[in-house]
Amino acid sequence: MKKNSFAPTPPMGWNSWDCYGAAVNEQQLLANAEYVAKNLKQHGYNYVVCDIQWYEPKAKSNFYNNFTELCTDEYSRLIPAVNRFPSCEGGKGFKPIADKIHAMGLKFGIHIMRGIPRQAVHNNTAIKGTNVTARQIAKQFSLCPWNTDMYGVNPKADGAREYYQSIFDLYASWGVDFIKCDDICNTEFNKQNPYSAKDEIELIRSCIDNCGRDMVLSLSPGPAPLEYAAHLSENANMWRLTGDFWDNWDKLKAMFERTSKWYPFVKEGCWPDCDMLPLGRLAKNASYEGGRDRYTLFTKDEQVTLMNLWCIFRSPLMLGGELNDNTEWDLNLITNDEVLFVNQNGKNPRPVLYNENEAIWISDGEGCRFLALFNLSDEERTVSLETEKISMKSVSVRDLWLHSSLGEMSAVSVSLRPHASVIYKIK
């Protein structure tokens, strides 16, 4: 499928949500883009994504203002709030920002919500290229339980396709390379059918394919229903395995169970998504899932474990912290090229062992394998693997974090602190 060529390896980049919530502005967005260009691009990071509420003038934190004023055009489409993104004035949309980000050698992405703005429905504004109005395509009982901005769209209504095509044509004209579409992967309002937006997903896929610009499609929130893995693979490049992931050990530990179910569906252009990496400086605008303006609550061992799991599973790597507050340790954590190579080039990632206390993963390389051993318990623990169990005899072992050889082994065994892990190259 053509859409798989948009993301042949797991996308890597930065997203504004974990540090700025709903309230990121142009200056903050571009400052992080500049950091990516200077410090991360050479390691494979190339997406800069503006998350939710970029169309809301009054957004101030991670919390949403119910039934607030939104910025829309005459065709029922959301447009950037000029008080937060001043270069977008005069109907330019995000094009000036996208142009600056592209000039840095990077790609630009935005967050959208499934559906059509309630404000447009209540004002009964037009749908471009039709005689239909917003009210006629809205699915009034299709509501997001955590955000009041949108109604769902009835995909079978006259004008529904034209509406979605008009927004993706608009985004293409802005230079958008990445779409994070929310309230669509698991529509919580419908407990009997959490994948009830299936037809809207297909419509979005079709409209992206017809907009004239390659755009990676990422679906949120999770957990994505496993039984729809084939449909997700057919229509999206990324789909979330969880609700919002934050800097909490229990959430990280739970990801081992999720990845142990989703690994068969990791393939070129189709990336089950463990969510953003809440590393570095977080929650600049509000106390959210922890203190305001905090450094990640993960210990250093837990941060390495997060990177090891995301990389060997081949999850997208979307950083969430304020990059300009990174320490040298933070930068080294996210730019280890030997570890990132596993994420971008490993094949057939799979668990060898998973239980309450430990996990072992492998993936295949050219003439080698990659091996990650994890201590999931709260006590120091030795985690071991006899290489015969993975159809290998004596192997040479290289520690990818230490960039050093550990010699020949027939059984790989390591003593790990609580929540710690290692990742090796073996051949």
Side-chain angles (χ1 to χ4, degrees):
M1 286 180 289
K2 181 185 176 186
K3 68 100 177 164
N4 291 344
S5 68
F6 302 171
T9 59
M12 301 171 63
W14 176 84
N15 177 294
S16 61
W17 172 255
D18 284 354
C19 50
Y20 291 108
V24 70
N25 61 36
E26 181 170 342
Q27 180 181 5
Q28 294 158 346
L29 190 71
L30 290 175
N32 279 275
E34 289 167 0
Y35 184 99
V36 175
K38 179 180 178 182
N39 300 286
L40 304 181
K41 181 173 67 172
Q42 62 268 40
H43 302 283
Y45 296 91
N46 62 348
Y47 286 98
V48 175
V49 180
C50 180
D51 210 272
I52 195 167
Q53 305 301 121
W54 43 265
Y55 40 80
E56 184 197 338
K58 297 178 182 177
K60 295 187 181 303
S61 70
N62 296 67
F63 301 98
Y64 306 119
N65 297 314
N66 289 338
F67 304 104
T68 189
E69 172 192 355
L70 309 177
C71 296
T72 58
D73 69 7
E74 69 271 31
Y75 296 120
S76 307
R77 302 176 298 188
L78 294 164
I79 56 176
V82 173
N83 65 318
R84 293 168 52 199
F85 303 96
S87 70
C88 300
E89 66 179 348
K92 300 185 192 77
F94 270 127
K95 189 175 189 310
I97 290 175
D99 286 348
K100 289 180 181 179
I101 289 173
H102 292 154
M104 299 177 198
L106 305 175
K107 297 182 178 182
F108 175 58
I110 60 172
H111 174 288
I112 66 170
M113 293 289 291
R114 174 182 65 91
I116 188 165
R118 289 196 197 191
Q119 178 175 295
V121 174
H122 297 162
N123 294 335
N124 206 24
T125 46
I127 303 299
K128 188 175 182 180
T130 75
N131 295 319
V132 173
T133 63
R135 202 169 293 171
Q136 291 168 272
I137 70 169
K139 199 172 184 179
Q140 69 270 31
F141 296 112
S142 178
L143 306 172
C144 175
W146 44 266
N147 183 289
T148 60
D149 292 345
M150 313 291 276
Y151 287 117
V153 163
N154 176 5
K156 297 180 174 59
D158 290 343
R161 172 172 291 276
E162 288 82 357
Y163 165 72
Y164 266 121
Q165 193 63 63
S166 77
I167 66 172
F168 288 108
D169 288 349
L170 180 65
Y171 304 154
S173 75
W174 291 347
V176 171
D177 306 295
F178 184 106
I179 295 289
K180 177 183 175 180
C181 186
D182 216 336
D183 188 40
I184 199 165
C185 190
N186 186 324
T187 47
E188 301 173 57
F189 68 87
N190 191 331
K191 300 297 183 184
Q192 286 71 42
N193 181 12
Y195 203 64
S196 61
K198 178 175 178 287
D199 290 345
E200 270 188 271
I201 292 173
E202 293 174 5
L203 187 53
I204 288 169
R205 170 78 270 144
S206 174
C207 291
I208 290 177
D209 290 344
N210 290 320
C211 77
R213 187 177 182 86
D214 293 350
M215 296 181 190
V216 169
L217 177 59
S218 170
L219 303 182
S220 293
L226 188 63
E227 61 268 31
Y228 289 101
H231 188 262
L232 288 159
S233 296
E234 183 178 352
N235 289 283
N237 300 107
M238 298 164 49
W239 54 90
R240 284 262 297 277
L241 306 190
T242 67
D244 283 2
F245 177 79
W246 282 95
D247 46 335
N248 173 291
W249 168 249
D250 288 341
K251 289 181 180 290
L252 177 51
K253 186 175 181 180
M255 199 66 73
F256 284 86
E257 180 178 3
R258 297 185 187 279
T259 51
S260 71
K261 296 175 180 177
W262 277 100
Y263 74 90
F265 304 100
V266 175
K267 61 183 180 180
E268 182 176 315
C270 306
W271 308 111
D273 180 14
C274 295
D275 201 12
M276 292 183 298
L277 307 178
L279 302 173
R281 184 69 63 181
L282 309 173
K284 298 282 284 187
N285 292 324
S287 297
Y288 195 81
E289 301 290 333
R292 179 175 182 170
D293 198 18
R294 70 180 182 276
Y295 192 78
T296 184
L297 299 177
F298 284 133
T299 67
K300 288 186 175 180
D301 282 338
E302 290 166 352
Q303 292 176 60
V304 171
T305 288
L306 184 157
M307 289 295 295
N308 284 343
L309 179 60
W310 266 238
C311 284
I312 201 159
F313 175 70
R314 305 198 75 193
S315 174
L317 299 178
M318 302 298 288
L319 303 166
E322 169 47 74
L323 298 176
N324 289 285
D325 290 344
N326 278 353
T327 64
E328 183 179 359
W329 195 90
D330 298 326
L331 182 59
N332 290 335
L333 175 74
I334 60 178
T335 58
N336 184 318
D337 288 329
E338 292 193 62
V339 177
L340 295 177
F341 184 90
V342 181
N343 176 265
Q344 295 292 291
N345 298 282
K347 305 296 182 187
N348 192 25
R350 57 210 182 270
V352 176
L353 172 70
Y354 165 64
N355 60 43
E356 180 70 16
N357 293 313
E358 58 192 66
I360 299 175
W361 278 73
I362 60 171
S363 70
D364 301 327
E366 293 291 334
C368 68
R369 282 181 174 166
F370 303 106
L371 171 67
L373 300 94
F374 301 89
N375 178 9
L376 307 183
S377 75
D378 297 332
E379 299 177 351
E380 188 167 327
R381 186 178 187 87
T382 297
V383 182
S384 304
L385 175 71
E386 294 180 7
T387 57
E388 286 186 353
K389 291 184 177 179
I390 55 173
S391 303
M392 299 180 78
K393 294 183 179 180
S394 181
V395 295
S396 64
V397 180
R398 178 176 176 80
D399 188 310
L400 300 186
W401 285 105
L402 298 179
H403 308 296
S404 64
S405 173
L406 302 182
E408 296 281 331
M409 300 182 187
S410 58
V412 180
S413 182
V414 60
S415 178
L416 295 170
R417 293 184 294 271
H419 309 173
S421 62
V422 292
I423 190 165
Y424 297 147
K425 178 179 179 179
I426 58 174
K427 60 180 181 179

